Amino acid sequence: MPAAARPFAVLAVLATLALLAGCADGPADDPTAATGSPSAGPTDDAAAGGGIRQADNDLQLTVDPGDGAPPEEWTLTCVGFVEGSHPEAEAACEHLRAMDEPFEPLPEDVVCTEQYGGPQTAHVTGRWGGEPVDLQLSRTNGCRISQWDSLGPLLPIPVG
C-alpha cells in the first residue's frame, strides 16, 4: 500500500469500529426502553461490578457485629418490588425511599462527639437513586453512630 493511502485506510478502520460500537448500545439492548423508567432498570457502572448491569436501588450489605461472630451478608432490591435476603427488606426499602440522600458520606471537616457506640461495622455497596454506593459505617463516634442509626431498619441497632 502506498504511504499516501495509509492514513485513509486507518480512518476507514476507525470509522468501521465506531459504527460497530454504536450498534451495540441501541434501544433493543436497553432493558429500560420498554418501561421508559431508568430508575427501575439496570444501569452500567464500573463501581457496580466492572460493567456488569445492576438495577438502581439494589444494595449489598456486609454487617459485622464485632463480637467475634462471622459477618452477615444481605442483599436488598427496592425497584417497585422488594426482594433480597435482608431480614427487614420491606421496612428497609420504605425507610430508605423516605430519605433524601441516605448514603451521603460524612463531611471531611465534621466535628463529632467522642463517644463509642460499639464495635459494629457495615459496608454498603451497589446503587441507590441512580448513583453508585460504597459506604463504610461504624459506631466509633457520635457522628458515625448517628449516621448508622439514621439508616433505620437497614442496619441492626446493637442491643445493650
Side-chain angles (χ1 to χ4, degrees), residues 71-92:
E72 296 183 58
E73 294 187 6
W74 301 320
T75 58
L76 180 65
T77 302
C78 312
V79 290
F81 58 89
V82 175
E83 70 178 13
S85 61
H86 191 284
E88 295 184 50
E90 289 282 344

Side-chain angles (χ1 to χ4, degrees), residues 29-92:
D29 293 337
D30 182 2
T32 64
T35 65
S37 174
S39 65
T43 55
D44 285 333
D45 192 297
I52 295 174
R53 295 182 83 77
Q54 179 179 21
D56 283 348
N57 300 348
D58 185 28
L59 302 170
Q60 298 79 43
L61 294 86
T62 303
V63 179
D64 186 344
D67 61 3
E72 296 183 58
E73 294 187 6
W74 301 320
T75 58
L76 180 65
T77 302
C78 312
V79 290
F81 58 89
V82 175
E83 70 178 13
S85 61
H86 191 284
E88 295 184 50
E90 289 282 344

Side-chain angles (χ1 to χ4, degrees), residues 139-157:
R139 300 181 58 80
T140 57
N141 64 41
C143 296
R144 294 188 175 280
I145 293 167
S146 179
Q147 181 184 37
W148 182 293
D149 292 350
S150 75
L151 293 172
L154 181 68
L155 298 172
I157 301 297

Side-chain angles (χ1 to χ4, degrees), residues 50-144:
I52 295 174
R53 295 182 83 77
Q54 179 179 21
D56 283 348
N57 300 348
D58 185 28
L59 302 170
Q60 298 79 43
L61 294 86
T62 303
V63 179
D64 186 344
D67 61 3
E72 296 183 58
E73 294 187 6
W74 301 320
T75 58
L76 180 65
T77 302
C78 312
V79 290
F81 58 89
V82 175
E83 70 178 13
S85 61
H86 191 284
E88 295 184 50
E90 289 282 344
C93 285
E94 185 177 324
H95 183 81
L96 292 173
R97 284 185 191 125
M99 297 179 75
D100 289 333
E101 294 184 42
F103 303 107
E104 184 174 27
L106 294 173
E108 293 288 325
D109 60 349
V110 69
V111 177
C112 303
T113 59
E114 292 185 29
Q115 65 187 87
Y116 182 69
Q120 299 81 10
T121 60
H123 187 199
V124 182
T125 59
R127 294 186 64 80
W128 189 263
E131 298 295 322
V133 173
D134 187 356
L135 184 64
Q136 297 281 348
L137 298 146
S138 68
R139 300 181 58 80
T140 57
N141 64 41
C143 296
R144 294 188 175 280

